[in-house]
Amino acid sequence: MTARKLLIALVVLASGCASPAAPTPTHTPAPSPALVPAESGPAMRLLYGPDADNVGDLYLPDNDADSLPVVVMVHGGGWQKALGSSYFAPISQAVADQGIAVWNIEYRRGTGNWADTLADVDNATEALATTVQEAAGGRLDLDRVHVAGHSAGGQLAAWLAGRHTLPASAPGAQPRVMPKSATIMAGVYDMARAATIGGDRFVPAFLGGMPDQVPDRYRVASPIDHLPIDVRVSALHGDSDKTVSVNQSTAYVDAARAAGDPAELTVLPGVGHDDFVRSGSVAWTTAVDTITEHAATLG
């Protein structure tokens, strides 16, 4: 065992770790010298807080790079308990195998748990500078942080990218670790639109009411209300999505561009909501390629 791997093992043990519009053409980026593709080892389970759900899985590529870009992966599942971070494990592994560090996070979720959920994804991201960096042997380049999320996790990832614009009293305000870019898969950006026009029952369950009942919560949680954020956001959405309307992505990108942000939209023909987590699908490949391209060009 190398000295670096021994250090990682000791940190993990000390932390108490336990052993998922018109279409825009897609492309596969050329290999970048900033990334060295390599098989990643088994994920390390790390704690970032006191709750049972305050955990994450860290994937490190098995290469000699001493400065790694890092992707924070945020799973979806309607902000409910039914789905956890394990469904983001395959895509996390695929990205890590491209020479990128990946931090696949879990968080508290459930009906009415909106403040804890937002606080957790913020705390998990902030842990990149402490617990996660220690476990990585200091290899994480915190000036090259990317966030990626699917569905409800897309809302949370987009919220992470814009949380620095929130008032000081809001969860996640005044962060130390700031993402430089984001890839959002079939995300919810406008919570009020989803709850009213979209008829999404999970949004009012998550936020504890309709927009006219708890307007302040909607303003804090809705990424579209935080623009401009000065972060590159790539919105990926299928035009056959029956769960989250593609209009969520088109409206966000239009608003972001109007505000001066470098947002971009890829609409995938015939792609449904869950295709982004089906290994080998067009949606999956597009997501992995987009995340990798972001990571290769950060800095």
Side-chain angles (χ1 to χ4, degrees):
M1 179 180 290
T2 65
R4 179 177 63 81
K5 290 184 177 178
L6 178 59
L7 173 62
I8 290 172
L10 290 173
V11 171
V12 172
L13 288 172
S15 65
C17 73
S19 316
T24 303
T26 61
H27 66 283
T28 301
S32 166
L35 302 178
V36 181
E39 291 293 323
S40 58
M44 293 183 285
R45 175 61 56 97
L46 302 173
L47 308 176
Y48 68 83
D51 191 85
D53 284 327
N54 294 160
V55 298
D57 293 324
L58 175 64
Y59 298 75
L60 292 173
D62 189 14
N63 59 25
D64 294 327
D66 58 7
S67 179
L68 296 168
V70 57
V71 176
V72 179
M73 289 284 194
V74 192
H75 73 84
W79 308 279
Q80 300 298 305
K81 291 288 290 185
L83 287 178
S85 60
S86 61
Y87 97 78
F88 241 30
I91 195 168
S92 297
Q93 182 76 61
V95 171
D97 287 346
Q98 300 304 308
I100 301 163
V102 176
W103 176 227
N104 181 25
I105 65 171
E106 190 54 274
Y107 50 88
R108 284 174 290 178
R109 54 214 185 280
T111 298
N113 215 24
W114 71 281
D116 287 340
T117 297
L118 297 184
D120 281 357
V121 296
D122 171 63
N123 288 337
T125 303
E126 294 289 275
L128 288 175
T130 55
T131 305
V132 185
Q133 183 70 289
E134 291 174 13
R139 299 173 69 199
L140 305 181
D141 184 347
L142 300 186
D143 290 324
R144 293 191 290 162
V145 176
H146 180 76
V147 293
H150 172 243
S151 191
Q155 175 266 327
L156 294 171
W159 177 86
L160 278 169
R163 73 197 194 284
H164 58 286
T165 68
L166 292 170
S169 60
Q174 300 174 327
R176 293 171 298 164
V177 178
M178 268 300 304
K180 296 299 190 295
S181 59
T183 299
I184 312 299
M185 299 162 261
V188 182
Y189 303 89
D190 188 335
M191 305 290 268
R193 181 188 183 106
T196 54
I197 298 174
D200 189 321
R201 63 187 176 88
F202 291 109
V203 169
F206 174 53
L207 293 177
M210 293 295 287
D212 60 341
Q213 297 171 312
V214 285
D216 290 345
R217 296 180 185 180
Y218 277 80
R219 279 191 292 270
V220 168
S222 292
I224 201 168
D225 289 336
H226 307 159
L227 299 170
I229 61 173
D230 195 29
V231 173
R232 179 186 175 193
V233 173
S234 294
L236 312 180
H237 220 119
D239 66 3
S240 296
D241 193 325
K242 305 302 182 187
T243 302
V244 176
S245 171
V246 69
N247 291 332
Q248 281 282 335
S249 289
T250 57
Y252 177 84
V253 170
D254 286 347
R257 288 174 174 170
D261 279 345
E264 55 200 27
L265 173 66
T266 300
V267 178
L268 300 170
V271 165
H273 190 71
D274 294 333
D275 289 336
F276 286 101
V277 289
R278 291 197 174 108
S279 179
S281 70
V282 170
W284 163 285
T285 302
T286 301
V288 172
D289 288 348
T290 302
I291 294 167
T292 302
E293 186 268 338
H294 275 290
T297 56
L298 290 177

